[in-house]
Amino acid sequence: MDPLSLTTLLAAAAMAGWVDAVVGGGGLLLLPALLVAAPGVPVATALGTNKLAAIFGTSTAAVTYARRTKIDWMVAGPSAGLAVCCAGVGAALAGAVPAGAYRPVVLAVLVSVALFVVFRPRLGVVAVPARRTRLRVVAAVAVAGVGIALYDGLIGPGTGTFLVVAFTALVGADFVHGSAMAKVVNAGTNLGALVVFGATGHVWWLLGAAMAVCNIAGAVVGARMALRRGAGFVRIVLLVVVLALVAKLGYDQWRAG
């Protein structure tokens, strides 16, 4: 890999760490950068190398949030435990799904998320404790620990965003606390997927380690900024990230068609 491509990739890793720490979605910055920097790399190897960088970033962000805000461990803990196993299952199945099948599904889900956030302007701005019923807690654990974790192993990008929206919509967390829980679960999904990708030889360890250093730096800055600026800031970043991802995936789908 030439120095310019490596520098660009490391910069993308830092930016992805920032985005992931605030609201998720960093994978849709880092994965394309990795595929461009290393033409011909197998999709599974790109996913696995991305997971190596991402697990350090999300874990760092999770620790930063845990030190400065209260995490709902009754939701985040079981979700993270399930996520390790379910993301591993998704990673094991990743090679069996055609790459072209991913984009329309992710695009449809992201459009739905954007519309949901736009038309629910109070969602996540303030916490709604009354929404946290036993049934909703179970639903949140199932959605995050099984559904979204399986998606993360299969595809990955946007997982953190989906987790934030799930926790705010289902158990009434504000965006800051929803993002804190999302980091804990996302660390679990990254671990489960990384174990499978690593065991099957789909990780470039040296490159992933270099990306991880930059991802950690971005994650620290992003988590501290989210905590300092509050839920309103996270909501704005969420909308910007989702709309940018929709635009990128829409363009890719149009070009592929």
Side-chain angles (χ1 to χ4, degrees):
M1 188 178 295
D2 63 87
L4 179 59
S5 295
L6 180 60
T7 301
T8 302
L9 185 57
L10 295 179
M15 188 61 193
W18 186 92
V19 172
D20 264 337
V22 176
V23 76
L28 279 169
L29 293 173
L30 191 50
L31 268 177
L34 185 56
L35 292 169
V36 169
V41 59
V43 173
T45 302
L47 288 169
T49 305
N50 175 63
K51 290 301 177 192
L52 177 57
I55 191 171
F56 285 96
T58 51
S59 298
T60 300
V63 171
T64 302
Y65 277 110
R67 286 176 174 173
R68 301 191 179 199
T69 191
K70 185 178 179 180
I71 292 178
D72 188 344
W73 289 106
M74 292 294 291
V75 177
S79 299
L82 283 171
V84 174
C85 299
C86 293
V89 172
L93 299 173
V97 181
Y102 291 153
R103 197 181 300 116
V105 175
V106 180
L107 184 59
V109 174
L110 284 171
V111 169
S112 300
V113 167
L115 292 174
F116 187 70
V117 174
V118 167
F119 289 106
R120 296 284 298 275
R122 300 302 299 168
L123 176 74
V125 175
V126 294
V128 186
R131 192 174 292 168
R132 192 187 180 284
T133 64
R134 181 176 297 180
L135 182 61
R136 283 178 171 268
V137 168
V138 172
V141 170
V143 169
V146 179
I148 297 177
L150 185 64
Y151 163 84
D152 192 28
L154 274 169
I155 308 172
T159 295
T161 304
F162 299 147
L163 288 169
V164 172
V165 172
F167 290 138
T168 54
L170 290 173
V171 293
D174 62 39
F175 277 130
V176 171
H177 289 85
S179 189
M181 289 190 287
K183 299 295 103 49
V184 174
V185 179
N186 209 174
T189 64
N190 286 334
L191 175 59
L194 178 60
V195 168
V196 173
F197 285 127
T200 53
H202 286 297
V203 178
W204 286 345
W205 296 102
L206 187 59
L207 177 61
M211 291 161 54
V213 173
C214 298
N215 202 256
I216 289 171
V220 171
V221 174
R224 290 179 177 177
M225 189 176 294
L227 287 163
R228 185 171 64 250
R229 298 196 176 185
F233 168 74
V234 178
R235 182 178 187 273
I236 292 171
V237 175
L238 173 65
L239 280 172
V240 170
V241 169
V242 170
L243 291 175
L245 297 181
V246 167
K248 181 189 182 306
L249 286 172
Y251 173 75
D252 290 346
Q253 182 67 18
W254 172 79
R255 188 175 60 178

